[in-house]
Amino acid sequence: MLQDRNSPPPSTLQELKRLIASRRLVFPVGLERVAREILERPEITAFESAAAVARRCRVSPTTVHRLVRHIGFGELRVIIREDLCSTASGLR
């Protein structure tokens, strides 16, 4: 959860990574494993269901949904897709 509860949730993947790196966003142990997998392989979240992500991370789909709520925004998939698209368009 964001350490400063008055802060808005992250709106980009880079902002999410900065919040984690600065320890302004801290995860309970169970959620941290899923967060690491998602950040290391964002394409799994961008294009697979919560159930598929859960299977890859060996957790329940509920854990994946808890992670999204813990971060503070509902559309993690949209943010990751936008990041992947902007990265891909920069390769042209």
Side-chain angles (χ1 to χ4, degrees):
M1 186 164 298
L2 285 168
Q3 296 297 325
D4 178 4
R5 294 179 192 269
N6 295 325
S7 295
S11 58
T12 66
L13 192 57
Q14 293 303 329
E15 187 179 345
L16 174 61
K17 289 177 180 180
R18 278 193 299 276
L19 289 171
I20 294 169
S22 67
R23 305 289 294 160
R24 290 182 49 216
L25 179 60
V26 180
F27 299 101
V29 176
L31 298 183
E32 184 173 340
R33 181 172 50 152
V34 180
R36 283 181 186 276
E37 182 74 20
I38 287 171
L39 292 175
E40 288 173 9
R41 300 192 50 224
E43 68 280 359
I44 69 170
T45 303
F47 302 108
E48 294 184 11
S49 67
V53 172
R55 280 191 301 276
R56 285 184 178 270
C57 298
R58 294 182 174 93
V59 298
S60 72
T62 303
T63 301
V64 174
H65 292 290
R66 264 193 314 236
L67 172 69
V68 172
R69 282 194 315 272
H70 182 80
I71 292 170
F73 59 89
E75 291 301 324
L76 178 61
R77 178 179 278 172
V78 172
I79 289 172
I80 290 174
R81 282 181 182 165
E82 288 174 357
D83 184 73
L84 290 172
C85 287
S86 68
T87 301
S89 67
L91 297 174
R92 294 180 190 174

